Amino acid sequence: NIANPLATILSAAMLLDLGLGMKQESEEVIKAVDQSLQEGFVTVDLNAEKNYSTTEVGDKIVELIG
């Protein structure tokens, strides 16, 4: 549970925008990822001192979107 999910989440945002024409939804996902990064809510590869699991980061993104 240490993999960084942010690239996968951003790929889903691209799918929403480019594949499904859901630009507003895509922008919400990207905004949530940006906010997570700004808050330091990241996995161990991005911060060895203070980090969260893959699941926790994914849950945080969902919370920020919702």
Side-chain angles (χ1 to χ4, degrees):
N1 205 3
I2 61 171
N4 184 336
L6 298 181
T8 301
I9 293 168
L10 289 172
S11 292
M14 285 179 61
L15 171 67
L16 289 171
D17 183 13
L18 302 174
L20 301 174
M22 300 173 73
K23 186 163 187 64
Q24 181 178 352
E25 292 84 350
S26 172
E27 289 173 355
E28 290 297 320
V29 173
I30 294 167
K31 179 180 168 185
V33 170
D34 287 344
Q35 187 173 345
S36 177
L37 288 167
Q38 289 174 4
E39 293 178 9
F41 210 96
V42 296
T43 49
V44 68
D45 60 313
L46 297 178
N47 188 339
E49 308 253 331
K50 182 178 179 188
N51 54 72
Y52 301 87
S53 71
T54 305
T55 302
E56 291 170 323
V57 173
D59 289 346
K60 179 67 171 181
I61 300 297
V62 170
E63 175 187 316
L64 292 170
I65 293 170

